[in-house]
């Protein structure tokens, strides 16, 4: 459980930094997009891996360690990271972001 919480907290922190870069116009659109692609890929890969070991394969050691309500929270938070990354990507592509850099 702690491993997934750590990954999610790191993803949230990275997304906060990118959001700040967008607000403060600290980086150009291409660099932000590259960072967002990496973050979203990590979130999706982590989510897929967790789904596989917890929900699909129902690995006993994982089931003993993480209760169902905790698993649902992990899955939800990883989904939120993916959605937030996609939202931030839409901001840089749908706005006049490049005019302000």
């Amino acid at each position: 459980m702690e491993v997934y919480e750590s990954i999610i907290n790191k993803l949230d922190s990275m997304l906060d930094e990118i959001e700040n870069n967008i607000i403060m116009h600290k980086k150009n659109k291409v660099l932000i997009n590259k960072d967002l692609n990496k973050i979203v890929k990590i979130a999706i890969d982590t989510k897929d891996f967790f789904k596989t070991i917890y929900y699909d394969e129902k690995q006993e050691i994982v089931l003993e360690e993480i209760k169902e309500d905790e698993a649902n929270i992990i899955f939800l938070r990883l989904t939120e990271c993916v959605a937030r990354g996609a939202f931030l990507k839409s901001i840089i592509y749908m706005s006049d972001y490049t005019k302000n850099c």
Side-chain angles (χ1 to χ4, degrees):
M1 177 75 177
E2 294 83 22
V3 172
Y4 288 102
E5 287 177 351
S6 176
I7 292 169
I8 292 166
N9 289 338
K10 182 64 177 172
L11 289 170
D12 280 336
S13 172
M14 292 164 63
L15 288 167
D16 287 344
E17 182 179 337
I18 286 180
E19 186 174 340
N20 185 50
N21 287 339
I22 291 171
I23 292 168
M24 304 303 285
H25 302 285
K26 291 182 179 177
K27 274 184 162 179
N28 74 34
K29 185 163 123 173
V30 173
L31 293 176
I32 290 174
N33 188 50
K34 283 182 180 181
D35 290 345
L36 281 170
N37 286 340
K38 290 175 188 175
I39 294 168
V40 169
K41 181 171 178 10
I42 292 168
I44 289 171
D45 289 349
T46 304
K47 182 180 168 186
D48 288 346
F49 179 73
F50 184 76
K51 178 185 175 286
T52 299
I53 64 171
Y54 191 86
Y55 294 105
D56 297 343
E57 295 177 4
K58 299 183 190 282
Q59 291 186 5
E60 188 174 325
I61 192 163
V62 177
L63 293 173
E64 290 173 2
E65 186 71 26
I66 302 174
K67 294 175 177 45
E68 185 175 357
D69 58 333
E70 294 171 331
N72 293 337
I73 290 169
I74 290 169
F75 200 73
L76 175 67
R77 289 190 63 205
L78 287 167
T79 302
E80 288 171 350
C81 287
V82 173
R84 186 173 171 207
F87 176 72
L88 291 172
K89 284 177 73 101
S90 73
I91 288 173
I92 62 172
Y93 280 103
M94 300 301 288
S95 69
D96 291 336
Y97 178 78
T98 53
K99 291 180 183 176
N100 297 321
C101 282

